[in-house]
Amino acid sequence: MAELVADRRAHTVDIAPLDLDRFRRGETPVEVMTFV
Amino acid sequence: MVATADSVIVGAGIMGASTAYHLARRGYGRIVVLERGAVCSGSTALASGGIRHQYANRIGIELTRQSIRVYSAALQRALGVDTRVLAPDDVRALCPYLWTGDLASATYSPRDGFADPYLVTTAIAARARDLGVVIEPDREVTGFTRGRRGATVIAGFSGHGFMHGPIAGRS
């Protein structure tokens, strides 16, 4: 989260679906649950 | 009371404390954590502390793997998610206290474990303070107003005036 705040993108773990702009886009679901 | 900051973080649970700590390590400037109660007094304090790989989405799994890297310096080798399907007999052998009479099967990940949420959060908060983070307890954020340039928020506190700071990034 610190990387997202400081760099606008996380490097250590890809957490793009948690991007803060998702609230502006109205996209609150993070990722669909995948049961294989 | 601090009136301005380079980053304002709402909440001093595990997410807020960790974000403050890592921003401070990066020298992000003046960081203030606003907490309506005390450090680790909300949902983190009520968490069971389980560390598990068995999520059904990518982010959950990858965050667990990264957390274990952080929590345990001994785990330097590359981590793979070792999840096994156990038959009831295997479950009884592993956990004799479980009732398995109605169990078809179970999943087990030997690298899952437990981390005390209170100890972890308060330890991270203490290290964040060492790095200059200001944690303000008893400061409940009651609202946000987006500033003219879009990146500034004004947070109002119950009975304590206002604070200005960017919601994310420095631009």
Side-chain angles (χ1 to χ4, degrees):
Chain A
M1 191 57 73
E3 293 173 347
L4 198 62
V5 171
D7 304 332
R8 296 183 178 276
R9 127 171 226 283
H11 315 287
T12 305
V13 176
D14 174 16
I15 56 169
L18 298 176
D19 190 312
L20 300 175
D21 281 342
R22 76 185 192 278
F23 295 110
R24 189 176 3 234
R25 297 192 301 267
E27 298 172 3
T28 49
V30 175
E31 277 195 348
V32 295
M33 305 296 269
T34 306
F35 296 96
V36 180
Chain B
M1 157 111 199
V2 178
T4 62
D6 295 293
S7 182
V8 179
I9 296 167
V10 180
I14 186 65
M15 288 295 293
S18 178
T19 301
Y21 168 74
H22 287 285
L23 282 173
R25 282 194 63 184
R26 298 166 62 104
Y28 195 70
R30 190 163 200 169
I31 301 160
V32 175
V33 180
L34 304 173
E35 165 55 52
R36 71 177 173 181
V39 171
C40 195
S41 59
S43 60
T44 300
L46 301 174
S48 65
I51 297 172
R52 62 189 176 98
H53 292 86
Q54 301 181 70
Y55 286 93
N57 60 47
R58 179 190 59 79
I59 288 181
I61 293 170
E62 290 193 4
L63 287 176
T64 294
R65 295 169 77 180
Q66 178 60 22
S67 297
I68 289 176
R69 289 189 188 100
V70 171
Y71 286 142
S72 176
L75 298 176
Q76 295 299 314
R77 64 185 175 84
L79 298 178
V81 178
D82 181 5
T83 302
R84 307 165 189 174
V85 177
L86 302 181
D89 286 348
D90 300 325
V91 175
R92 274 193 297 276
L94 189 66
C95 306
Y97 47 86
L98 288 182
W99 164 250
T100 58
D102 56 354
L103 190 67
S105 64
T107 58
Y108 169 67
S109 180
R111 301 186 72 86
D112 290 357
F114 173 82
D116 185 293
Y118 184 81
L119 291 178
V120 170
T121 303
T122 53
I124 292 174
R127 296 293 80 75
R129 284 194 181 100
D130 291 344
L131 295 173
V133 171
V134 175
I135 298 180
E136 299 263 10
D138 302 318
R139 297 280 191 263
E140 182 174 11
V141 175
T142 56
F144 297 87
T145 302
R146 190 170 289 277
R148 280 178 295 182
R149 289 191 295 178
T152 300
V153 297
I154 302 171
F157 312 108
S158 47
H160 296 286
F162 298 94
M163 181 166 191
H164 301 248
I167 190 168
R170 283 178 153 175
S171 61

